């Protein structure tokens, strides 16, 4: 009984720690940082769409966004702040994986998804902090090169084509899932809608749907390129975010489709900032 009671007390303390103001602040800061990166990627993509997209353009990916920040006054400080904020996001997602998300739903699948997001944001925060420390290996355009390098390595393994194809299918499926949930406004259950004015709620709906669908389409197309790389056994078919975004301008809609997606990514940045204010954490 004493052991059981001790375990319950320990678990209760851990849960209270996960619900602490520090974890909440970390999660909200992470949403702000995510919004900054997506908004900048959208701006860079818009420049590519209607600015000629020449070789002098920064790449529309996370590295390009970080390079853009680095050039601003106090850019180095801002990079460190972004990196630390994303660490806060990773820790908040980790607390969700351990103790369940805010609200009535605490399903094992939800915890598993939170664990995956925690790993993802840990990687993103690490890359941002390394960039801030002077390692430009994650700089502008590196995502495209890394995608091709990793794809080439996996294709060279036994069963590599199946692995690349499966990974591409997962990414494409995740993109469609993200877009579908955004279109259906599934994000409503995570937000404190009652605290918003009607005008703010309409703005959050627009940015949530438009931004989420645009983000999901980018993931879906990137996954499709990975599947194509597996089918053709050519690593050059795989694309990072920048090359994926540029591919939209090669459609019959030309730069206008890329411009629309770019505005959508900026909208997702705004939606991330709304999450920083009204998300249930």
């Amino acid at each position: 009984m004493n052991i059981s009671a001790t375990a319950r007390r320990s678990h209760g303390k851990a849960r209270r720690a996960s619900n602490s103001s520090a974890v909440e602040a970390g999660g909200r800061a992470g949403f702000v940082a995510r919004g900054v990166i997506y908004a900048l990627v959208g701006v860079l993509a818009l420049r590519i769409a209607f600015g000629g997209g020449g070789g002098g353009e920064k790449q529309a990916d996370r590295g390009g966004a970080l390079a853009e920040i680095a050039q601003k006054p106090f850019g180095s400080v801002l990079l460190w702040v972004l990196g630390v904020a994303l660490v806060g996001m990773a820790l908040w997602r980790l607390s969700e994986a351990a103790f369940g998300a805010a609200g009535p739903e605490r399903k094992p699948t939800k915890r598993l998804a939170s664990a995956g997001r925690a790993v993802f944001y840990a990687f993103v925060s690490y890359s941002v902090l390394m960039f801030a420390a002077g390692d430009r290996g994650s700089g502008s355009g590196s995502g495209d090169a890394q995608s091709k390098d990793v794809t080439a390595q996996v294709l060279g393994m036994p069963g590599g084509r199946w692995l690349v194809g499966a990974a591409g299918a997962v990414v494409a499926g995740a993109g469609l899932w993200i877009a579908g949930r955004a279109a259906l406004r599934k994000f409503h259950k995570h937000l404190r809608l009652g605290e918003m004015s009607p005008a703010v709620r309409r703005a959050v709906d627009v940015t949530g749907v438009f931004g989420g669908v645009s983000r999901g389409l980018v993931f879906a197309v990137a996954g499709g390129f990975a599947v194509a790389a597996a089918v053709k056994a050519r690593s050059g078919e795989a694309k990072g975010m920048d090359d994926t975004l540029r591919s939209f301008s090669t459609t019959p809609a030309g730069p206008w489709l890329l411009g629309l997606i770019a505005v959508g990514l900026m909208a997702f940045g705004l939606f991330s900032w709304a999450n920083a204010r009204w998300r249930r954490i």
Side-chain angles (χ1 to χ4, degrees):
M1 288 296 293
N2 289 338
I3 295 177
S4 178
T6 301
R8 285 196 300 271
R9 284 195 298 271
S10 298
H11 185 270
K13 289 179 180 179
R15 181 180 293 278
R16 286 192 294 274
S18 74
N19 293 329
S20 69
S21 57
V23 172
E24 178 180 345
R28 297 194 188 285
F31 278 115
V32 173
R34 188 182 75 174
V36 169
I37 292 174
Y38 269 99
L40 283 175
V41 170
V43 169
L44 294 171
L46 199 61
R47 288 182 190 171
I48 292 171
F50 300 111
E57 295 278 359
K58 286 191 178 69
Q59 306 294 291
D61 56 15
R62 184 172 65 247
L66 297 180
E68 185 80 4
I69 293 171
Q71 293 180 350
K72 304 301 181 185
F74 306 105
S76 179
V77 174
L78 291 174
L79 288 173
W80 283 106
V81 171
L82 283 178
V84 172
L86 289 167
V87 170
M89 173 72 92
L91 291 175
W92 168 57
R93 290 299 192 182
L94 185 62
S95 75
E96 283 194 331
F99 305 108
E105 293 188 58
R106 298 183 183 274
K107 299 177 182 177
T109 53
K110 300 288 186 181
R111 292 191 179 190
L112 185 61
S114 292
R117 292 186 180 104
V119 172
F120 172 76
Y121 282 110
F123 170 78
V124 173
S125 62
Y126 173 78
S127 68
V128 174
L129 290 171
M130 290 299 292
F131 192 98
D135 180 1
R136 297 305 189 246
S138 59
S140 182
S142 66
D144 295 324
Q146 290 173 358
S147 295
K148 291 177 173 59
D149 290 344
V150 171
T151 302
Q153 292 174 7
V154 178
L155 286 175
M157 298 167 53
R161 293 177 67 176
W162 289 101
L163 291 173
V164 171
V170 169
V171 173
L176 294 175
W177 181 78
I178 290 170
R181 285 179 62 83
L184 294 172
R185 294 175 171 83
K186 293 292 187 179
F187 52 81
H188 277 184
K189 64 183 179 182
H190 298 299
L191 299 174
R192 300 194 302 272
L193 299 175
E195 297 180 12
M196 302 178 189
S197 68
V200 168
R201 180 168 176 172
R202 284 193 297 271
V204 169
D205 269 354
V206 170
T207 56
V209 173
F210 182 29
V213 169
S214 299
R215 178 179 178 239
L217 286 177
V218 172
F219 276 94
V221 172
F225 282 126
V227 172
V231 172
K232 299 178 182 179
R234 294 209 310 254
S235 61
E237 296 290 330
K239 301 182 186 298
M241 175 172 274
D242 177 72
D243 278 348
T244 298
L245 286 170
R246 288 174 189 267
S247 71
F248 288 106
S249 64
T250 64
T251 65
W256 294 101
L257 180 57
L258 174 56
L260 183 65
I261 296 295
V263 175
L265 294 179
M266 287 188 278
F268 187 76
L270 294 175
F271 178 68
S272 294
W273 294 335
N275 272 264
R277 171 65 177 84
W278 288 290
R279 176 85 180 205
R280 299 180 192 276
I281 297 181

